[in-house]
Amino acid sequence: MKIALGEAMHPRHVFHAPVWGDPQAMSRALRDIRQDLAASSDAKPNADVMQAALTQFYETQKVANFTELKYLCYGVTVPIRGHQVRLIDQRSLFGAVLTMVEEREGQAKQFRRCYQGLLSAYFGFEGNGDEADPGPANWRRLRGFLGHKLDGVRKAARQRGEPPAWLETLGSHRNLLGEDPCAPYAGALANGDSSGLRAVCEGLGIPSSSWVWDDALMAYVRLVCAGSDPAFTRGLPGVLDLVNDRIDLRLPQRLATKATAHTVSRYSRCGDRPEHGGLRDTALAKVGNPWLARSAWDAEVNDEPARQMVEGWLKRRLIKDFFELLAQDGGADLRRLNYWLKWEPKISDMWFILGAEARRNPSPEFKSLRERMSGRSRVLVDPNGLNNAFVMRIGPLLVIEFGVTGNACYLFAASDFRTDLDAKQFTLQRANPLKQIAGATKLTHQGQWESRFDIDLSRLLRDTPSSKGQLQPRPARTEAVREPVVREAKQSGHTPGGRPATGDWPAGVTDRRAGKKLSTFDAMQIAAYCRTVGIEHQDLRDKGGSFWVLMRDPGLYKRFADQLESQGFRYADGKGYWFKDET
């Protein structure tokens, strides 16, 4: 204020004023000084003195003077240090504060200052609990108190002179004290104009972290969703920009999820519902995969038609991803694509077994593909890094297609498929194989194959009992180390070839084909090597079990496999190498 006064008294203003001694100019200066003084006297108190007043009242239920009462008003929604409670969460204490404030109503200036403190607390309230909890209930009580007393505070302020600007701003925006406080700002926000709301918040000292902004943005989302189908379609891009943080305004995560749920539910009620890629991807990011995160959809959206709509979109997108992006030559396999799109409504689950190229491709389209496949992507170990596999669940059947042309389509009753689809890594014919002969129906893509596929699929769906639809269960952790029927590992007798970049097998490990016990040194060396190259291992010998190296495909680490065999380890199909000490 001193700086402003000094600037006003500068000679260039005093001696070069348009009219010397202009009474209107003097009146304006006096008005500005009064408003500055009013703003200064009503400023929010220092945090430390406010905390002292809150602690004193919480522990004694007493207030020494008006200043302490004013501090309580500003602090009713602030956690009290050392107690981690808020007065607004305590019914009796909060009620006592309102009673003491109301008793000051005859002292207009003091009452107005308490009113401003309560208004600041009202805008600063954070309520993440249940609406029936004391906090939200007392916040609504505070809202009613402020709305009821507003006219009286304004009238008293006018009688004392020109009322402070914040009070006049509140009088023009009394909707902020109503049941739907921010609805009037939704229309401007829908048109991309936030200047009005910013001006209101600046005039009332509402911080950017206040619930007011969140409520206004949610009112904007509700307004868009309440419109006609054409109006909703026009407003949808703006809503998606908001929930995906593509504009300056931000919604917290919980409200972004809520806004997404409201929007996708509204879209499902449109007369025309073409697939909307932006809404699909937003729903996946904010709510989750509609068939893998069913509980989240039920909790957040609670709209089965909307869930089914997004699930259908995602399945169709994933089918297109496979036959458009994962074909060996990089070109779309349109016949297979169109054929399986026809079956999309019958597909209840999918798995994507990705080769090296699809897993490592850094392009944006492949990154997006991997994000969409999250939770259902697996690793395919195949010398042809361009190959990929697509597994579909249709009723009691599993259907497997491959990206590389020339491969047959394999159909199984789900219970006949002997590989756990929750495994992380698959091969074509060795450990965790995808190409299995037993129980499989092989269909070739030759000639007019689509009609033959229809006949065979329909027949299998008709003839396969539902009891055959149980997938191979994922083994429990203990089952992975049970002693199976084993075969002796074949001794190669030739110089073993190594896999590049996996590290060298440590020198100095004893060759003990005929040994009876694995030494502590050898066990430590094997464990260290496993950790280096990322192979899982388990040493259960202290529990009467075996030392396991869970290397399901020895061909990937042939030199290591040969060394294990020289140590006396034996190989168990589909699990790995094991050694059991002899006593």
Side-chain angles (χ1 to χ4, degrees):
M1 189 187 305
K2 291 181 180 179
I3 295 174
L5 184 59
E7 173 66 19
M9 294 298 295
H10 193 279
R12 70 173 179 272
H13 295 305
V14 174
F15 296 109
H16 298 284
V19 179
W20 173 254
D22 182 359
Q24 292 183 354
M26 295 177 65
S27 297
R28 287 195 297 271
L30 180 61
R31 180 195 64 196
D32 292 341
I33 291 172
R34 283 175 173 172
Q35 289 183 349
D36 287 341
L37 288 171
S40 177
S41 65
D42 291 339
K44 189 173 182 178
N46 174 274
D48 290 333
V49 297
M50 183 171 65
Q51 282 290 335
L54 289 169
T55 301
Q56 175 74 11
F57 178 70
Y58 182 74
E59 294 176 350
T60 67
Q61 288 77 58
K62 294 180 181 178
V63 173
N65 49 48
F66 161 72
T67 300
E68 286 191 4
L69 176 59
K70 183 179 73 171
Y71 293 166
L72 292 185
C73 293
Y74 277 97
V76 291
T77 58
V78 176
I80 303 173
R81 294 174 188 164
H83 297 285
Q84 295 305 307
V85 296
R86 303 181 301 181
L87 294 183
I88 201 165
D89 296 318
Q90 312 294 313
R91 288 190 176 92
S92 60
L93 294 181
F94 179 73
V97 172
L98 288 188
T99 298
M100 288 188 290
V101 170
E102 201 162 23
E103 289 171 352
R104 301 271 177 169
E105 198 163 7
Q107 300 167 279
K109 187 176 180 180
Q110 292 186 1
F111 184 74
R112 189 192 73 215
R113 291 183 178 178
C114 288
Y115 184 97
Q116 186 179 17
L118 290 173
L119 184 69
S120 175
Y122 168 71
F123 289 131
F125 176 73
E126 294 182 5
N128 297 323
D130 190 281
E131 285 299 306
D133 288 346
N138 281 333
W139 177 78
R140 290 190 293 272
R141 180 182 177 185
L142 175 58
R143 182 178 66 193
F145 179 90
L146 294 170
H148 180 66
K149 301 296 184 181
L150 175 59
D151 288 338
V153 174
R154 295 180 69 199
K155 180 178 179 181
R158 288 196 184 102
Q159 290 173 348
R160 293 177 58 85
E162 189 167 354
W166 67 265
L167 194 54
E168 291 303 290
T169 299
L170 184 61
S172 301
H173 295 271
R174 61 173 59 242
N175 51 277
L176 289 168
L177 304 177
E179 290 290 335
D180 194 0
C182 297
Y185 314 118
L189 291 174
N191 291 322
D193 181 11
S194 62
S195 60
L197 181 57
R198 292 183 189 277
V200 172
C201 289
E202 182 179 349
L204 293 174
I206 300 173
S208 59
S209 59
S210 171
W211 58 263
V212 169
W213 281 99
D214 295 343
D215 195 78
L217 293 172
M218 289 303 295
Y220 152 48
V221 174
R222 290 192 297 271
L223 177 67
V224 171
C225 292
S228 63
D229 284 1
F232 169 70
T233 302
R234 288 194 300 271
L236 180 56
V239 172
L240 295 180
D241 285 343
L242 170 65
V243 299
N244 288 297
D245 295 336
R246 292 195 287 260
I247 58 176
D248 292 339
L249 302 175
R250 295 288 188 271
L251 276 175
Q253 183 61 40
R254 61 181 179 83
L255 290 182
T257 300
K258 185 177 180 180
T260 300
H262 199 61
T263 305
V264 75
S265 181
R266 172 63 181 87
Y267 195 93
S268 71
R269 298 194 300 274
C270 287
D272 185 22
R273 298 182 295 277
E275 180 175 350
H276 194 294
L279 182 57
R280 177 200 64 221
D281 292 343
T282 299
L284 290 177
K286 302 301 180 183
V287 184
N289 186 305
W291 78 79
L292 299 182
R294 179 67 178 268
S295 59
W297 275 82
D298 290 344
E300 299 289 350
V301 185
N302 193 27
D303 188 323
E304 184 59 15
R307 191 195 68 80
Q308 292 181 2
M309 176 185 71
V310 177
E311 178 177 318
W313 289 351
L314 177 58
K315 290 175 186 174
R316 295 179 69 83
R317 178 65 264 173
L318 291 173
I319 293 170
K320 291 178 181 178
D321 285 340
F322 186 83
F323 291 109
E324 290 181 348
L325 294 178
L326 302 181
Q328 182 179 14
D329 61 1
D333 190 336
L334 295 180
R335 287 183 65 182
R336 286 200 292 171
L337 167 61
N338 292 328
Y339 181 79
W340 292 114
L341 283 176
K342 180 181 69 173
W343 281 90
E344 174 270 314
K346 300 291 185 181
I347 299 173
S348 59
D349 208 344
M350 299 176 176
W351 295 262
F352 298 88
I353 324 298
L354 303 182
E357 174 62 23
R359 297 195 309 273
R360 299 168 185 168
N361 192 310
S363 67
E365 60 183 358
F366 271 82
K367 288 181 179 179
S368 297
L369 174 147
R370 291 190 291 267
E371 288 176 2
R372 285 190 292 271
M373 291 179 175
S374 177
R376 278 299 182 264
S377 64
R378 307 288 188 263
V379 172
L380 177 61
V381 179
D382 185 12
N384 185 349
L386 293 173
N387 201 8
N388 305 280
F390 175 26
V391 183
M392 294 166 270
R393 178 67 183 265
I394 302 177
L397 303 179
L398 282 183
V399 180
I400 305 179
E401 285 271 25
F402 294 92
V404 173
T405 57
N407 284 275
C409 176
Y410 288 74
L411 283 71
F412 300 85
S415 60
D416 292 339
F417 188 65
R418 308 314 301 168
T419 297
D420 173 22
L421 285 169
D422 282 333
K424 297 179 180 179
Q425 183 172 289
F426 297 83
T427 64
L428 294 184
Q429 294 174 324
R430 301 185 69 178
N432 287 349
L434 292 175
K435 289 186 176 181
Q436 302 176 16
I437 303 302
T441 298
K442 292 175 62 175
L443 303 179
T444 60
H445 307 87
Q446 296 177 355
Q448 299 302 315
W449 55 267
E450 290 91 341
S451 58
R452 289 187 288 101
F453 271 47
D454 282 342
I455 294 171
D456 285 324
L457 267 171
S458 299
R459 174 181 57 80
L460 288 170
L461 287 171
R462 182 180 64 250
D463 295 343
T464 304
S466 58
S467 61
K468 296 283 285 181
Q470 300 301 315
L471 282 169
Q472 174 84 352
R474 184 170 190 171
R477 191 66 174 171
T478 56
E479 292 178 355
V481 295
R482 288 176 183 168
E483 302 290 348
V485 177
V486 300
R487 61 173 175 83
E488 291 291 342
K490 182 179 179 181
Q491 305 301 330
S492 62
H494 60 271
T495 303
R499 185 183 178 189
T502 59
D504 290 326
W505 171 244
V509 178
T510 308
D511 184 349
R512 49 181 308 281
R513 295 175 191 271
K516 302 293 184 181
K517 192 172 183 179
L518 189 66
S519 71
T520 301
F521 175 77
D522 287 350
M524 290 175 62
Q525 289 281 63
I526 294 170
Y529 182 80
C530 287
R531 286 192 294 271
T532 299
V533 299
I535 298 174
E536 189 175 356
H537 68 282
Q538 297 174 345
D539 190 353
L540 304 176
R541 292 174 298 156
D542 59 342
K543 300 177 183 178
S546 301
F547 190 110
W548 278 89
V549 178
L550 302 176
M551 182 170 57
R552 295 174 174 84
D553 187 356
L556 296 177
Y557 298 88
K558 194 165 189 324
R559 179 175 296 176
F560 184 30
D562 289 344
Q563 290 286 351
L564 290 174
E565 291 172 5
S566 73
Q567 288 291 101
F569 278 77
R570 291 188 288 176
Y571 182 73
D573 280 319
K575 293 190 176 181
Y577 285 93
W578 64 278
F579 184 98
K580 186 174 181 66
D581 287 339
E582 296 182 15
T583 57

